[in-house]
Amino acid sequence: MKQLKQLLSKECSYQLRDEIMDQFISSMEEITLHQGDILIADGSLDSNIYIVKEGIMAHTYLSGAKDCCWGFSLPGTMMYSLHPYYFNKPAFYQVIACCDSVVMKQSKERFDNLIAESHEFARWVLSMAQCQLFFFEKKNSVISGDARERFISLAKNRPEIFQKVPMKIIASYLGITQQYLSNLKKEYKKLIYG
């Protein structure tokens, strides 16, 4: 629990008191996933709240017949599917384990009850949402430019992705072919592996 609390405290500027954080985490269920396991399937009505404890999760969607990756969740990231959570509509994005991972799960009902019961928890949830919007905007400002620039930025900012995520998913995220990604990895091997 201590490790998860430390990860969550780094995710947003508003710090939740220990007793409320303990109440939140202790009511969660731990789920172990293997590489390739689907946590949230597109089209599902999964309204649960998840926090990545270990590993990396990819958020993907279908564009025609092609799987596209728009982002990753790393340890400490809180995630949920907005369509089912807010409007009880089928999930658009699919969340997949990029490597063996552990996530914590809490039901929407329990999460909503904690928000209703604790103003402090509600403030923390709002701060987490604002922080996620900030990081989404930051990602778009950092991972930009041509394919080579996007690759270099990802290698500098998130080298763990190259160590744990399959090339197919990284290539999709960067909008390049796996062959071109392989060439870039060879060219910038020192940047990724030190």
Side-chain angles (χ1 to χ4, degrees), residues 97-136:
C98 295
C99 55
D100 290 350
S101 302
V102 177
V103 298
M104 303 300 289
K105 171 185 165 184
Q106 186 171 77
S107 71
K108 177 187 187 311
E109 294 73 27
R110 178 67 184 133
F111 189 71
D112 288 348
N113 285 341
L114 285 170
I115 291 170
E117 292 166 5
S118 169
H119 176 74
E120 185 178 345
F121 186 75
R123 283 185 62 196
W124 180 77
V125 170
L126 174 62
S127 182
M128 285 291 279
Q130 291 168 330
C131 187
Q132 286 183 345
L133 290 171
F134 166 78
F135 280 116
F136 181 74

Side-chain angles (χ1 to χ4, degrees), residues 23-167:
Q23 184 182 4
F24 172 51
I25 294 173
S26 67
S27 64
M28 301 185 92
E29 170 191 350
E30 188 173 285
I31 299 171
T32 301
L33 300 162
H34 298 290
Q35 182 179 356
D37 285 353
I38 296 171
L39 178 65
I40 300 174
D42 61 332
S44 72
L45 292 175
D46 186 338
S47 61
N48 295 306
I49 306 300
Y50 297 97
I51 296 173
V52 181
K53 184 176 178 184
E54 299 169 17
I56 300 175
M57 308 299 292
H59 299 257
T60 66
Y61 63 96
L62 277 176
S63 178
K66 183 179 171 187
D67 259 333
C68 298
C69 176
W70 71 265
F72 300 99
S73 291
L74 284 80
T77 305
M78 182 165 44
M79 57 189 178
Y80 51 98
S81 183
L82 294 168
H83 283 76
Y85 183 85
Y86 285 106
F87 297 109
N88 198 33
K89 298 214 179 270
F92 176 71
Y93 294 112
Q94 184 159 272
V95 180
I96 303 167
C98 295
C99 55
D100 290 350
S101 302
V102 177
V103 298
M104 303 300 289
K105 171 185 165 184
Q106 186 171 77
S107 71
K108 177 187 187 311
E109 294 73 27
R110 178 67 184 133
F111 189 71
D112 288 348
N113 285 341
L114 285 170
I115 291 170
E117 292 166 5
S118 169
H119 176 74
E120 185 178 345
F121 186 75
R123 283 185 62 196
W124 180 77
V125 170
L126 174 62
S127 182
M128 285 291 279
Q130 291 168 330
C131 187
Q132 286 183 345
L133 290 171
F134 166 78
F135 280 116
F136 181 74
E137 189 173 316
K138 182 179 178 184
K139 177 198 102 171
N140 288 335
S141 70
V142 172
I143 307 291
S144 61
D146 65 21
R148 184 179 304 273
E149 292 167 325
R150 292 192 308 273
F151 171 87
I152 291 169
S153 181
L154 184 62
K156 284 181 179 176
N157 291 292
R158 292 293 186 196
E160 66 270 39
I161 287 175
F162 288 97
Q163 296 160 11
K164 296 183 177 182
V165 177
M167 283 187 51

